[in-house]
Amino acid sequence: MAVSPHSFPPRKRRPSAAAFVSPKLSAPILLQSLLSLSQEISSTKPLKFLLNRYSLSMIRKSLLLEIILHDLLRRHPVLSLSPSASLCLEEMYILLQRIKTLLEDCSNGSKIWLLTQNQSIANSFHELTLDLSTLLDIFPVKDAALTQDVEELFYLLRNQTSESSVFLDPRDEALRFRVLKMIDRIKDEIVPDYSELLEIFTMIDIRDSSSCREEIENLEDEIQNQTDEKSRSDVIALIGLVRYAKCVLYGASTTAEYGFQRKDSISDIAVPADFRCPISLDLMQDPVVVATGHTYDRAAITLWIESGHNTCPKTGQTLAHTNLIPNRALKNLIAMWCRQERIPFDITESNKDRVNDVTLNKAALEAMRMTATFLVNKLATSVDSSVNDVVYELRVLAKTDPGSRGYIALAGALPLLVRYLNSENPILQVNAVTTVLNLSIFESNKSLIMETEGALIGVIEVLRSGATWEAKGNAAATIFSLSSIHSYRRRLGRKTRVIRGLLDLAKDGPISSKRDALVTILTLAGVRETVGRLIEGGVMETVSYLMNSLPEEAVTILEVVVRKGGFVAIASGFYLIKKLGVVLREGSDRSRESAAAALVTMCRQGGSEMVTELASMAGIERVIWELMGSGTMRGRRKAASLLRILRRWAAGLDGNGGAGGDSMTVTSSRMGGESTTFVSSSRGAIVHS
């Protein structure tokens, strides 16, 4: 009985030549293996139209071969075959594996790519047929002692394999010519004719949005199979054509139709350790290599360097330079893993003319532009019932096709999306703010978002009062993306509603949204004037609240705040001393390092009361000694500094660890139910409530 072509498991990479080797099996086992292979091939459903004649012919030949092998196995259940017969059958085993692989590729691969490679694949079928003919010619059929009927089938099969030339179906060739001509017209910026586009895709058997999506996925896998840049670029051009056809012919997709929801966090998925950034512990989107040879996510290591560090976070070694070298091999592995796990993967490229490290040709670029323009124009004219589907399609396009981010913005999408940031439909609001987030990843779009009337205000309003946590988390992520530009970081840090919204999200949101908020807070804290607003907004209370659930993120923020916030920050963090001591004892290497750094700053600048509070913790010296022996390089240095401070305090030499300069006295009291901290220093008195 015929089986579906999809009964073959999809293969992302074709087997290498070394995969097809002689099995060196005993005669009965070899014959049984050959019989199984021929049965698999003969039970395959032939291709529907492309190369139908070749696939059908190969399946029929396998049926005849199955009968011959069955008779051989029946007549040689134990006895070995002659050396010449065994050699032929070993070679036939390799040949059948190649035939099976070719049929799998044709059955499971991209239809439109199969069409464009029609002649090459026809040649492959013809070569395999000729190889089979050669093996049948030299096979010692008389020594095999086949029954008379089976021997006649053998000669019939041998005659059938002696084809003289390659056959190309005129219909397939005509269709291939039409597709290539359409690609050439797109290069010339000519929009494909709707009726012709529909006819071509109907003939290829791509008849709805779902089959278009499957075709795009197959083409994306095909990119990994191509070894030269031109072929990979041609595949990307076909992806552009299919994506355009999907939008024009079959309308915008719905969330359910795509088969996946945006994953706010992949913390529940077993991410390979090598794919996680050592700093953020999240899946790396843009892995880069620093001077020490270690790999980090670009956003995380950039923030680390901009925060004043000149060392490698993993080793503590001083960086010889701060150049960041893209780790493209790892990035491709992460992208492949994300496709297998059905996780959308952001490919952040500074050059929109490259996808998967392939330079796009004119057809691919024009197809992107046409798709973006079509969707934006459709959004401008859509009625309420269809708006959400169009916005979702833009969201997916900007997510899965990074090169389109610039075209979507240039087509005028942002003013249209602003309308739906305050939508009462929570799904539409999520799709709108997520589309803005995806667009913001493209560098030149950041200024457009900041300058488009209502865009930034709309994102901030979603952050403060969005209908769902997903919408709020994506709004926070948008602010994080925009804050990668220093001038925007300062501007965003001046907005009280941004500070308040991030702190509320960090305190009350789900874990994934908390992380979105915290990484944005950490970025904004890189500007000294913003730290004061964060303290006024309650960042210390938020950090204290999160110290148990997200210690690494919380302590890292605390370290930056106390370093840049001065006396007010240190005073407001007085009650966190013992919590930092607990992290120092029980936390991860990264959180212990940040806790030690924060404690050094607080004890040096906070005076004897800070040191006294730390020294009052039982066993604190032993904890510090352990960190000096087993922590990161930076953690060890900070632990050593902390130990010196404690010992000088114990000896009564210097209440602030010998740092010199200002000393500070901290006094806390409660008045009318509110906590007030009085800070006295040589520079004067500060009151922080």
Side-chain angles (χ1 to χ4, degrees):
M1 183 176 69
V3 297
S4 165
H6 295 291
S7 59
F8 288 122
R11 188 177 56 255
K12 305 305 180 189
R13 292 272 189 178
R14 294 191 175 94
S16 64
F20 305 117
V21 294
S22 176
K24 301 300 181 184
L25 302 172
S26 63
I29 297 177
L30 176 60
L31 286 170
Q32 185 60 57
S33 299
L34 285 167
L35 181 60
S36 298
L37 273 173
S38 62
Q39 287 173 338
E40 286 183 47
I41 296 170
S42 61
S43 63
T44 304
K45 188 175 181 180
L47 302 176
K48 288 187 176 180
F49 65 102
L50 293 175
L51 300 163
N52 174 265
R53 172 172 166 173
Y54 270 114
S55 63
L56 191 58
S57 173
M58 198 63 77
I59 290 169
R60 287 171 175 167
K61 290 177 175 62
S62 294
L63 280 169
L64 294 178
L65 189 59
E66 183 183 337
I67 297 171
I68 295 167
L69 290 169
H70 192 278
D71 194 57
L72 273 173
L73 185 63
R74 183 175 60 83
R75 289 180 169 273
H76 301 273
V78 178
L79 299 176
S80 61
L81 297 165
S82 66
S84 58
S86 295
L87 182 60
C88 281
L89 293 177
E90 287 175 3
E91 291 298 318
M92 188 171 291
Y93 180 90
I94 298 174
L95 178 62
L96 290 181
Q97 289 280 19
R98 291 167 58 200
I99 292 171
K100 177 187 172 185
T101 298
L102 183 59
L103 286 172
E104 285 180 8
D105 284 339
C106 294
S107 298
N108 293 325
S110 159
K111 297 173 182 176
I112 198 166
W113 176 251
L114 183 68
L115 175 63
T116 59
Q117 302 302 305
N118 183 49
Q119 186 166 359
S120 172
I121 298 174
N123 286 334
S124 297
F125 272 111
H126 182 65
E127 289 171 5
L128 291 174
T129 303
L130 292 181
D131 288 347
L132 179 58
S133 176
T134 300
L135 289 176
L136 293 175
D137 281 341
I138 63 175
F139 184 79
V141 63
K142 295 299 182 183
D143 296 343
L146 298 173
T147 60
Q148 184 176 352
D149 290 343
V150 174
E151 187 173 333
E152 290 177 359
L153 283 178
F154 179 90
Y155 290 120
L156 174 63
L157 177 59
R158 192 168 68 180
N159 291 336
Q160 288 181 351
T161 57
S162 57
E163 297 180 10
S164 58
S165 60
V166 178
F167 171 78
L168 294 175
D169 192 316
R171 294 173 301 175
D172 293 354
E173 281 296 281
L175 187 57
R176 182 175 73 90
F177 177 77
R178 291 176 68 183
V179 169
L180 295 179
K181 184 178 179 181
M182 182 170 287
I183 293 289
D184 287 337
R185 289 170 65 83
I186 289 175
K187 289 180 186 177
D188 295 333
E189 303 181 21
I190 300 173
V191 177
D193 178 72
Y194 179 91
S195 58
E196 183 179 13
L197 190 66
L198 179 61
E199 184 179 354
I200 288 174
F201 273 70
T202 301
M203 293 177 69
I204 300 175
D205 197 30
I206 302 176
R207 300 173 182 269
D208 53 32
S209 179
S210 177
S211 58
C212 280
R213 190 176 64 255
E214 182 180 354
E215 181 70 8
I216 290 169
E217 290 174 357
N218 288 334
L219 285 167
E220 288 172 344
D221 291 334
E222 190 62 47
I223 293 174
Q224 306 302 320
N225 293 326
Q226 302 307 312
T227 56
D228 62 286
E229 182 160 328
K230 182 183 182 305
S231 296
R232 296 172 72 189
S233 184
D234 289 344
V235 175
I236 291 175
L238 292 174
I239 291 175
L241 175 62
V242 177
R243 187 165 280 133
Y244 174 78
K246 173 180 175 294
C247 295
V248 173
L249 299 180
Y250 309 118
S253 303
T254 62
T255 305
E257 193 174 296
Y258 260 88
F260 69 85
Q261 298 280 350
R262 173 190 180 269
K263 298 187 189 309
D264 294 320
S265 171
I266 57 172
S267 56
D268 294 334
I269 299 175
V271 178
D274 291 341
F275 293 175
R276 288 187 182 273
C277 174
I279 298 176
S280 66
L281 302 182
D282 290 330
L283 181 72
M284 287 187 277
Q285 298 289 336
D286 189 8
V288 292
V289 181
V290 298
T292 57
H294 290 281
T295 298
Y296 303 92
D297 196 32
R298 183 184 295 275
I301 192 64
T302 299
L303 181 59
W304 171 267
I305 293 170
E306 288 180 353
S307 298
H309 300 95
N310 64 345
T311 57
C312 173
K314 286 188 75 173
T315 66
Q317 293 175 271
T318 300
L319 296 174
H321 57 79
T322 57
N323 298 334
L324 303 178
I325 303 169
N327 190 337
R328 293 194 173 93
L330 179 58
K331 188 172 186 175
N332 287 335
L333 289 173
I334 293 173
M336 291 172 63
W337 179 82
C338 285
R339 280 201 299 273
Q340 292 170 1
E341 296 293 331
R342 310 295 297 160
I343 301 171
F345 180 66
D346 278 331
I347 304 175
T348 307
E349 296 284 356
S350 58
N351 186 349
K352 70 178 181 180
D353 295 347
R354 293 184 72 82
V355 170
N356 289 341
D357 203 33
V358 179
T359 302
L360 303 184
N361 55 34
K362 184 72 184 306
L365 292 171
E366 282 303 315
M368 284 182 185
R369 184 185 63 79
M370 290 177 184
T371 305
T373 302
F374 173 82
L375 286 172
V376 172
N377 290 340
K378 188 170 183 180
L379 180 60
T381 58
S382 292
V383 295
D384 292 343
S385 59
S386 60
V387 163
N388 185 52
D389 289 346
V390 180
V391 174
Y392 185 78
E393 191 71 37
L394 283 169
R395 168 186 172 175
V396 173
L397 182 63
K399 181 81 170 179
T400 58
D401 191 352
S404 293
R405 290 171 184 149
Y407 291 121
I408 292 172
L410 289 175
L414 282 168
L416 300 173
L417 291 169
V418 168
R419 303 176 187 172
Y420 307 110
L421 291 175
N422 61 352
S423 172
E424 294 181 358
N425 180 343
I427 297 176
L428 178 55
Q429 185 185 66
V430 167
N431 288 332
V433 74
T434 309
T435 306
V436 175
L437 166 61
N438 293 339
L439 294 178
S440 73
I441 297 170
F442 189 60
E443 200 70 15
S444 63
N445 285 347
K446 298 183 193 296
S447 59
L448 284 175
I449 294 171
M450 295 295 287
E451 294 164 7
T452 298
E453 183 179 358
L456 180 59
I457 293 174
V459 171
I460 294 172
E461 286 306 309
V462 174
L463 173 66
R464 291 290 288 126
S465 55
T468 64
W469 291 120
E470 181 182 1
K472 292 182 177 182
N474 286 347
T478 304
I479 292 171
F480 170 76
S481 177
L482 295 172
S483 64
S484 64
I485 297 178
H486 188 72
S487 60
Y488 297 160
R489 191 184 310 170
R490 297 176 71 91
R491 180 175 163 186
L492 290 164
R494 294 190 188 107
K495 295 184 178 295
T496 304
R497 291 183 67 76
V498 170
I499 300 297
R500 189 70 263 165
L502 291 172
L503 291 172
D504 287 346
L505 182 61
K507 182 176 283 188
D508 301 326
I511 289 294
S512 57
S513 297
K514 289 179 189 289
R515 287 198 171 102
D516 286 333
L518 289 173
V519 72
T520 308
I521 291 170
L522 185 60
T523 303
L524 297 181
V527 179
R528 190 176 295 274
E529 66 180 84
T530 304
V531 173
R533 294 185 177 87
L534 286 169
I535 294 171
E536 291 173 5
V539 69
M540 290 303 192
E541 291 79 2
T542 302
V543 164
S544 176
Y545 177 75
L546 296 173
M547 199 78 81
N548 294 328
S549 58
L550 293 170
E552 292 190 359
E553 292 86 348
V555 177
T556 302
I557 289 173
L558 180 60
E559 178 197 350
V560 175
V561 169
V562 297
R563 188 175 71 246
K564 295 201 172 189
F567 289 139
V568 172
I570 293 168
S572 62
F574 177 77
Y575 69 100
L576 293 173
I577 292 286
K578 289 191 174 179
K579 283 198 171 186
L580 286 172
V582 173
V583 174
L584 210 60
R585 179 186 293 117
E586 302 174 356
S588 64
D589 284 347
R590 182 186 166 213
S591 61
R592 292 166 75 199
E593 174 189 317
S594 295
L599 285 169
V600 168
T601 301
M602 295 171 77
C603 289
R604 278 182 174 170
Q605 299 184 26
S608 60
E609 285 75 13
M610 293 285 182
V611 186
T612 303
E613 184 74 4
L614 179 63
S616 67
M617 291 188 63
I620 189 63
E621 277 205 29
R622 181 176 56 80
V623 171
I624 295 173
W625 272 108
E626 289 176 356
L627 180 58
M628 289 174 63
S630 61
T632 63
M633 289 293 291
R634 180 170 178 258
R636 293 176 188 180
R637 292 199 306 272
K638 294 299 180 181
S641 298
L642 202 55
L643 188 60
R644 284 195 298 270
I645 292 171
L646 285 174
R647 289 190 168 179
R648 290 181 68 84
W649 168 84
L653 295 177
D654 196 338
N656 61 4
D662 297 314
S663 63
M664 181 171 68
T665 303
V666 182
T667 307
S668 297
S669 64
R670 296 189 65 84
M671 298 181 182
E674 296 184 356
S675 175
T676 302
T677 303
F678 297 90
V679 185
S680 300
S681 74
S682 60
R683 295 183 180 179
I686 300 171
V687 180
H688 174 67
S689 298

